[in-house]
């Protein structure tokens, strides 16, 4: 009975440490232990630079205050840094590569909801041979 209790306690404590205390952008911006960044010059950085939402403006200010040390040159570099810094760095990237990386690497997880979503369309010239009519 003692062995069973000890094993269950160990499993409980391990699972408790595995859960993240960061559940989204609000939690990330309220703390200072975990640095965060994105690909330098990429669309994610531009999203934070141009945002009118106060949380994202504060996140951008924090990234700017940390200078280039929080940004990477590529998504793979950002993922490698997340794994290397073991909970002290969060990397933000677009949802599709994020899903790919979290499915490929069991040690990674996506936290929170999507920060923004965009719809895209394709513009084509109208022609007699076109099969698309509006």
């Amino acid at each position: 009975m003692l062995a069973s209790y000890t094993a269950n306690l160990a499993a409980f404590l391990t699972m408790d440490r595995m859960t993240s205390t960061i559940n989204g952008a609000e939690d990330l911006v309220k703390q200072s232990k975990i640095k965060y960044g994105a690909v330098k010059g990429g669309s994610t950085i531009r999203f934070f630079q141009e945002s009118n939402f106060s949380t994202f403006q504060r996140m951008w200010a924090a990234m700017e205050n940390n200078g280039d040390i929080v940004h990477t040159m590529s998504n793979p570099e950002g993922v490698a840094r997340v794994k290397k810094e073991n909970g002290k760095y969060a990397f933000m990237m677009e949802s599709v590569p994020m899903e790919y990386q979290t499915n490929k690497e069991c040690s990674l997880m996506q936290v929170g909801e999507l920060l923004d979503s965009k719809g895209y369309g394709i513009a084509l010239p109208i022609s007699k041979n076109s099969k698309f009519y509006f």
Side-chain angles (χ1 to χ4, degrees), residues 30-123:
K30 288 178 185 176
Q31 57 78 51
S32 59
K33 290 182 182 179
I34 301 171
K35 303 292 184 212
Y36 47 90
V39 173
K40 186 176 185 172
S43 60
T44 302
I45 289 294
R46 194 168 43 257
F47 164 76
F48 285 101
Q49 287 173 327
E50 297 172 358
S51 180
N52 293 323
F53 190 55
S54 65
T55 298
F56 301 146
Q57 289 173 342
R58 291 192 334 249
M59 290 176 78
W60 173 243
M63 287 187 265
E64 280 290 281
N65 287 339
N66 286 307
D68 285 341
I69 63 166
V70 295
H71 303 302
T72 64
M73 297 307 291
S74 67
N75 284 340
E77 183 183 333
V79 169
R81 184 168 176 185
V82 166
K83 294 189 317 189
K84 178 183 161 201
E85 296 199 19
N86 200 23
K88 299 293 181 195
Y89 179 73
F91 184 68
M92 293 170 283
M93 67 175 138
E94 288 76 17
S95 61
V96 173
M98 177 76 71
E99 283 181 38
Y100 173 76
Q101 289 297 329
T102 55
N103 286 328
K104 183 177 142 187
E105 299 276 346
C106 295
S107 62
L108 300 174
M109 67 180 183
Q110 180 177 338
V111 176
E113 300 293 322
L114 297 178
L115 300 178
D116 190 35
S117 63
K118 302 261 189 272
Y120 293 94
I122 300 173

